[in-house]
Amino acid sequence: MNLFTKYIGIGAVAVLVGSTALQAIPQVGNNHFVTVASASSKSKIKKVKLGMTKKQVKKILGKPDRDDSGMLTYEKYGYLYFSKGKLTGGEDKNIQAQVTKKNAAKKSSKVNKRQTLLSQAKYFGTKDVESIQKATYAYASTEIDGGMMYMWKSKAGKLIRVDLDEYGKTAVYKYDDSKDNGLGEQLYIGKTILQKKPRTTVVYP
């Protein structure tokens, strides 16, 4: 059992919560539908965007050679794939380029969110106890066996901090309402900081 989690009862997190002021593109080889598209055809397909409905796509490209529930087939453009009524991919290079760009943006956004979460957890974990206990408008708190438990609504989501007096350690977790103690992934662990370091004043002769 985790050193921190064994001290947390089901009721502790309840106190805090109550008081807290593209769809993959199938690989189709040797596609016999795709032919050399004219300049006019290329111009049309460039107007087709991910997220469009079948009706919108047909308005731009015209009547398809085949219309299935999750796919439109054009001799000039190949297969266009739909999920929940929205265009999610296709064989044409213009559509594939959009999918690649969208996936890259999603990946970048996910990385940025993760970095923000870890940064917020470290900030919370390294904040001194004295300042946290004074800022009751920002941090909810409750006593637990052997220490204190705090909750903070950060810009990255709810975080829970556990301070254990016996060990002088602080751990910060992502709040998980599916867990009885509310402790999700551990994001930070370090020495408990009780007070801010006094400012050093340099006096020159």
Side-chain angles (χ1 to χ4, degrees):
M1 181 180 290
N2 183 285
L3 174 65
F4 288 86
T5 58
K6 73 177 183 179
Y7 288 89
I8 312 301
I10 296 175
V13 71
V15 173
L16 292 182
V17 174
S19 63
T20 298
L22 290 161
Q23 177 178 325
I25 302 174
Q27 298 299 312
V28 181
N30 300 319
N31 177 26
H32 62 278
F33 287 105
V34 180
T35 59
V36 178
S38 65
S40 175
S41 298
K42 289 180 180 179
S43 176
K44 286 182 179 180
I45 193 66
K46 286 181 179 180
K47 295 178 182 178
V48 175
K49 305 298 179 184
L50 295 179
M52 284 187 169
T53 63
K54 280 188 175 183
K55 184 177 181 180
Q56 291 173 313
V57 172
K58 289 177 183 179
K59 188 174 182 180
I60 296 172
L61 301 182
K63 184 179 179 180
D65 294 288
R66 184 169 176 174
D67 185 347
D68 298 302
S69 59
M71 181 171 65
L72 292 180
T73 304
Y74 286 89
E75 182 180 354
K76 295 177 181 178
Y77 313 112
Y79 300 115
L80 296 178
Y81 306 107
F82 293 79
S83 177
K84 297 180 180 179
K86 303 290 185 179
L87 180 65
T88 57
E91 290 188 299
D92 184 85
K93 65 180 182 180
N94 291 289
I95 303 300
Q96 290 185 0
Q98 291 182 48
V99 173
T100 300
K101 184 177 180 180
K102 184 174 182 179
N103 288 339
K106 278 186 176 181
K107 185 176 181 180
S108 177
S109 176
K110 188 175 181 180
V111 170
N112 290 337
K113 285 182 179 179
R114 180 67 180 176
Q115 290 176 339
T116 299
L117 177 63
L118 293 175
S119 175
Q120 292 284 280
K122 184 177 180 180
Y123 169 81
F124 192 22
T126 55
K127 196 168 186 65
D128 65 285
V129 174
E130 185 178 24
S131 295
I132 289 178
Q133 293 183 343
K134 285 181 179 179
T136 54
Y137 59 89
Y139 306 101
S141 63
T142 186
E143 289 188 27
I144 58 173
D145 290 340
M148 289 292 295
M149 188 174 180
Y150 306 93
M151 177 179 278
W152 175 43
K153 286 184 177 179
S154 76
K155 62 182 180 181
K158 290 182 181 179
L159 299 176
I160 291 181
R161 167 173 162 162
V162 179
D163 291 355
L164 296 182
D165 298 337
E166 181 181 353
Y167 302 96
K169 292 287 186 179
T170 289
V172 177
Y173 299 83
K174 185 176 182 180
Y175 173 65
D176 186 346
D177 60 6
S178 69
K179 302 289 182 64
D180 289 339
N181 59 14
L183 303 184
E185 178 189 3
Q186 182 176 294
L187 303 170
Y188 170 85
I189 187 168
K191 183 180 178 181
T192 301
I193 300 174
L194 300 176
Q195 295 178 316
K196 285 183 178 179
K197 290 183 179 180
R199 292 183 179 180
T200 302
T201 303
V202 179
V203 179
Y204 295 96

